Amino acid sequence: MTGQPAQPGPGAPEPHSASAGPGPLPAHAVLALGSNLGDRAATLRAAVALLDDRLGVLAVSPVYETVPVGGPPQDDYLNAVLLTRPAPVRALLAAAREAEQAAERVRTIRWGPRTLDVDVIACGDVTSDDPEIIVPHPRAHLRAFVCVPWLDVDPDATIPEHGRVADLVAGLAAAGETAGLRRAGAATDLGVAPGLG
């Protein structure tokens, strides 16, 4: 994927340059997107546009096609990870739910097929034990479909209490957990630059 990062939504703070020199990336939130019903790529693109308007998208990972984990038999997912400008965790959750509602997400079967799933994964070192939104996401470190695209978009990423995402991906690969992931084709391009570095 090529191009420039998406422009921030209305009211978003001025960007901190990611190329100002060596060191960690500026603070950002991490959201994971997945879809396995309908036009999956179009659904992800619409979600990116909405989340950019609400939060300001900094970068989007490449899209992966992934075998479902858990739940009933269902079609494969398209998954991606977004980096957005930081926001209070409740604001991140509200934006995630708005995107799901816009995609007509219906919650009937746990881990069942869905038009769109948006999970708040992390926001820097922020932690939350609010039952409505636990941050960092309590299962993110176990999910190759989160960690692999996240590593693509932020090679220095870490998950509080779990360490470097690069190390987590290496462990998942050694355990065979990445076998169900494959990079999707150019037709799934979400139209945003694939990283901050």
Side-chain angles (χ1 to χ4, degrees):
M1 291 162 56
T2 59
Q4 297 300 313
Q7 295 300 310
E14 287 299 311
H16 174 97
S17 173
S19 59
L25 294 172
H28 54 265
V30 182
L31 305 181
L33 278 61
S35 174
N36 76 336
L37 290 177
D39 187 334
R40 301 170 299 167
T43 296
L44 293 184
R45 288 188 198 102
V48 170
L50 187 151
L51 292 166
D52 183 41
D53 184 65
R54 301 299 184 268
L55 300 171
V57 171
L58 297 171
V60 181
S61 75
V63 176
Y64 284 81
E65 191 157 22
T66 66
V67 174
V69 176
Q74 55 190 295
D75 292 337
D76 289 353
Y77 281 82
L78 289 185
N79 290 101
V81 164
L82 309 184
L83 304 184
T84 76
R85 301 188 184 284
V89 292
R90 280 281 179 173
L92 296 171
L93 178 63
R97 287 184 171 171
E98 183 181 355
E100 291 179 344
Q101 290 168 0
E104 301 182 349
R105 162 84 182 264
V106 177
R107 299 176 184 274
T108 54
I109 303 171
R110 188 182 188 200
W111 295 333
R114 71 288 305 262
T115 55
L116 180 67
D117 187 40
V118 182
D119 286 331
V120 178
I121 302 301
C123 189
D125 293 330
V126 172
T127 61
S128 168
D129 58 4
D130 182 335
E132 284 290 308
I133 177 162
I134 299 173
V135 176
H137 191 289
R139 292 178 297 280
H141 65 289
L142 302 173
R143 293 177 166 175
F145 62 83
V146 171
C147 290
V148 170
W150 186 1
L151 183 63
D152 283 339
V153 82
D154 183 0
D156 297 320
T158 62
I159 303 179
E161 301 184 10
H162 295 289
R164 297 175 64 247
V165 173
D167 295 334
L168 295 171
V169 168
L172 290 166
E177 296 293 329
T178 60
L181 277 71
R182 54 195 176 278
R183 185 77 67 89
T188 63
D189 187 344
L190 299 182
V192 183
L196 295 179

